[in-house]
Amino acid sequence: MELIRKYFDGLSPQQITHFENLEDLYKDWNLKINVVSRKDIDELYLRHVLHSLGIAKVQKFNPDSHILDVGTGGGFPGIPMAILFPEVNFHLVDSIGKKMKVVEEAVAGLGLKNVKTTNDRVENVDGHYDFIISRAVAAMPTFVRWTKGKIAKKSNHELKNGILYLKGGDLSEELADYQTAKIYELTDYFEEDFFETKKVVHLPLKYKG
């Protein structure tokens, strides 16, 4: 938890409580349904929570904006981001039922009122969103295809509406066809070695009505 406070000051008492409760919630659920590896559960705040919050270093979300988390898995990056931005609407989607069960229980356990969950393929989800966030669930061309037609028309943030994607490694080949994509190195924001190859990719997408 100190790791989160190191990089995010001004957290409310409720936000601090939510972040503190994440570890016990995930450790408890991980005994029943293995959604996070044993190594990762021991470093939950570094490898999952802070990593998820890297998106917030690239773009802070305005109140009442709508964010879609695709392939949320155990609730990352959506749940940490929903704690950080309590006035933002988050929609967490995953096609794997057992993972969504953990997400639903975590959301209920934390009492998060700004999170909606859907157990389905993202192609079947209706709605338009300011940003679509995710953690490396597919190569960018596949991810763009999955999320086609889900970007809101009006842009209300510093960055244009589109995808904010947590990725790692060399992305030159994967992003070759996306000239408007911009890569943000997480080492510019976090000093831990874990982030050495970690990035946030912003890919602006046009509204398609």
Side-chain angles (χ1 to χ4, degrees), residues 36-82:
V36 178
S37 74
R38 180 166 292 181
K39 181 180 180 182
D40 281 7
I41 204 76
D42 290 337
E43 296 186 81
L44 184 76
Y45 288 103
L46 173 68
R47 292 172 171 266
H48 292 280
V49 182
L50 190 59
H51 188 207
S52 296
L53 296 177
I55 291 172
K57 291 295 187 183
V58 172
Q59 178 63 69
K60 291 179 172 58
F61 296 145
N62 296 331
D64 296 323
S65 52
H66 291 265
I67 310 298
L68 177 65
D69 178 7
V70 175
T72 189
F76 302 101
I79 287 178
M81 290 290 284

Side-chain angles (χ1 to χ4, degrees), residues 4 7 12 20-21 25 52 61 72 79 82-83 86 105 110-112 120 122 134 152:
I4 308 306
Y7 292 108
S12 71
E20 286 176 342
N21 289 342
L25 267 170
S52 296
F61 296 145
T72 189
I79 287 178
I83 294 172
E105 293 294 336
L110 294 168
L112 297 177
D120 203 346
V122 68
S134 191

Side-chain angles (χ1 to χ4, degrees), residues 21-168:
N21 289 342
L22 279 178
E23 186 170 33
D24 286 343
L25 267 170
Y26 278 98
K27 280 188 173 178
D28 182 47
W29 270 99
N30 222 47
L31 295 173
K32 307 169 193 173
I33 302 171
N34 188 29
V35 291
V36 178
S37 74
R38 180 166 292 181
K39 181 180 180 182
D40 281 7
I41 204 76
D42 290 337
E43 296 186 81
L44 184 76
Y45 288 103
L46 173 68
R47 292 172 171 266
H48 292 280
V49 182
L50 190 59
H51 188 207
S52 296
L53 296 177
I55 291 172
K57 291 295 187 183
V58 172
Q59 178 63 69
K60 291 179 172 58
F61 296 145
N62 296 331
D64 296 323
S65 52
H66 291 265
I67 310 298
L68 177 65
D69 178 7
V70 175
T72 189
F76 302 101
I79 287 178
M81 290 290 284
I83 294 172
L84 192 65
F85 296 107
E87 297 179 352
V88 173
N89 305 290
F90 287 86
H91 188 177
L92 278 54
V93 177
D94 203 291
S95 61
I96 300 173
K98 71 173 186 176
K99 290 184 177 180
M100 287 310 300
K101 173 69 174 171
V102 175
V103 172
E104 289 161 7
E105 293 294 336
V107 168
L110 294 168
L112 297 177
K113 306 298 184 188
N114 60 330
V115 177
K116 174 184 175 182
T117 61
T118 300
N119 177 205
D120 203 346
R121 294 172 60 86
V122 68
E123 296 95 322
N124 300 326
V125 172
D126 293 326
H128 293 95
Y129 302 85
D130 298 274
F131 291 100
I132 299 169
I133 62 175
S134 191
R135 282 208 308 177
V137 294
M140 188 63 86
T142 303
F143 193 75
V144 169
R145 189 173 71 250
W146 286 352
T147 55
K148 188 177 180 181
K150 302 191 190 304
I151 292 295
K153 188 173 186 178
K154 188 177 181 184
S155 195
N156 298 306
H157 293 79
E158 182 183 344
L159 297 180
K160 290 182 179 177
N161 291 359
I163 292 169
L164 286 166
Y165 210 13
L166 289 159
K167 297 281 279 183

Side-chain angles (χ1 to χ4, degrees), residues 153-201:
K153 188 173 186 178
K154 188 177 181 184
S155 195
N156 298 306
H157 293 79
E158 182 183 344
L159 297 180
K160 290 182 179 177
N161 291 359
I163 292 169
L164 286 166
Y165 210 13
L166 289 159
K167 297 281 279 183
D170 182 1
L171 304 176
S172 52
E173 187 176 334
E174 184 175 333
L175 298 177
D177 293 335
Y178 302 102
Q179 298 304 311
T180 57
K182 182 170 181 181
I183 298 172
Y184 297 84
E185 302 284 345
L186 284 180
T187 48
D188 290 343
Y189 309 101
F190 305 137
E191 63 183 12
E192 285 72 21
D193 290 344
F194 173 74
F195 297 104
E196 197 168 305
T197 62
K198 303 290 191 293
K199 306 162 175 66
V200 175
V201 179

